[in-house]
Amino acid sequence: MTRRTHSSISSHFPCGRLLRLGSALIRELIDAADNWLGFKRLELTVYTDNAPAIRLYERFGFEREGIRRSYAFKAGAYVDALGMARLRY
């Protein structure tokens, strides 16, 4: 039995404009993970300066797990990212 797998979805939603789409996407991913795939843990990474996305993920039960310093080079500077996860008990 596979204990761990990785999928990547990159989303770049402009602040506030497409959060309804983001909510719908996260809702469907969680539904599939919980009810069809039997995943216990979902993980994601988000830039620390993306407050609207962080709030969205927290509304869906994701919790902050740690900061990844200098995670990526963005717009001419290194930026941090936040690791988040959602556990199903």
Side-chain angles (χ1 to χ4, degrees):
M1 173 186 239
T2 302
R3 287 190 36 89
R4 186 174 186 104
T5 189
H6 175 83
S7 293
S8 179
I9 297 175
S10 179
S11 61
H12 303 278
F13 297 114
C15 259
R17 264 188 65 206
L18 297 175
L19 283 179
R20 283 190 313 265
L21 178 59
S23 293
L25 176 64
I26 297 297
R27 186 178 306 106
E28 292 302 317
L29 287 171
I30 289 172
D31 178 63
D34 287 353
N35 300 313
W36 295 92
L37 302 171
F39 291 170
K40 179 178 172 103
R41 178 180 173 87
L42 297 176
E43 300 174 355
L44 62 85
T45 303
V46 60
Y47 292 129
T48 56
D49 63 353
N50 193 345
I54 293 168
R55 283 192 302 274
L56 171 69
Y57 300 139
E58 288 176 334
R59 278 199 311 269
F60 281 97
F62 285 86
E63 296 180 15
R64 299 171 190 222
E65 291 196 324
I67 301 289
R68 296 179 175 111
R69 303 284 178 212
S70 296
Y71 178 80
F73 195 73
K74 177 180 160 190
Y78 284 96
V79 295
D80 297 341
L82 176 63
M84 301 181 78
R86 177 185 176 274
L87 295 173
R88 185 172 57 106
Y89 295 99

